[in-house]
Amino acid sequence: MSRPMTHPESRVRHLLAGYFRGQERLLEELLAEGLIDLRTAERQAIREEVERLARDGMGRCEAMEVVAQRFCCSYEKVRAAVYQKK
């Protein structure tokens, strides 16, 4: 039996589904084999969302607060994802 997904995890899966549109089976196989790390994907999605909001004119700190709310995580987690480029 699999564990229930957290909200951030389901959001990342939704974003990945957009990247893999038309290739859903491939995405599921990659996830099942552990070839896509959801934590790394989540950090990338957070960075991209903050960058998008900043490009649209929002201040970086405000963008990080908004993204923390959207991803149901702490501001510190967002800040770490933005400034830790791994």
Side-chain angles (χ1 to χ4, degrees):
M1 187 166 100
S2 64
R3 65 176 176 74
M5 277 191 285
T6 64
H7 179 72
E9 188 176 347
S10 65
R11 180 145 172 87
V12 170
R13 281 181 175 263
H14 176 72
L15 292 169
L16 285 171
Y19 294 141
F20 282 84
R21 185 159 287 124
Q23 303 283 329
E24 289 81 9
R25 186 172 175 186
L26 172 62
L27 174 60
E28 288 306 315
E29 288 178 20
L30 292 171
L31 289 169
E33 293 295 323
L35 297 173
I36 295 178
D37 180 17
L38 287 177
R39 288 182 185 181
T40 302
E42 180 183 29
R43 282 191 300 271
Q44 183 62 36
I46 287 170
R47 278 195 293 269
E48 288 177 7
E49 186 70 6
V50 170
E51 289 170 9
R52 184 186 67 75
L53 292 171
R55 274 194 313 274
D56 290 347
M58 188 178 289
R60 183 175 287 286
C61 292
E62 184 181 358
M64 289 191 288
E65 287 180 21
V66 169
V67 171
Q69 291 174 353
R70 287 184 186 169
F71 278 77
C72 298
C73 64
S74 69
Y75 178 86
E76 289 76 21
K77 181 175 183 174
V78 173
R79 188 181 60 76
V82 168
Y83 293 116
Q84 182 181 17
K85 299 287 184 171
K86 284 188 180 180

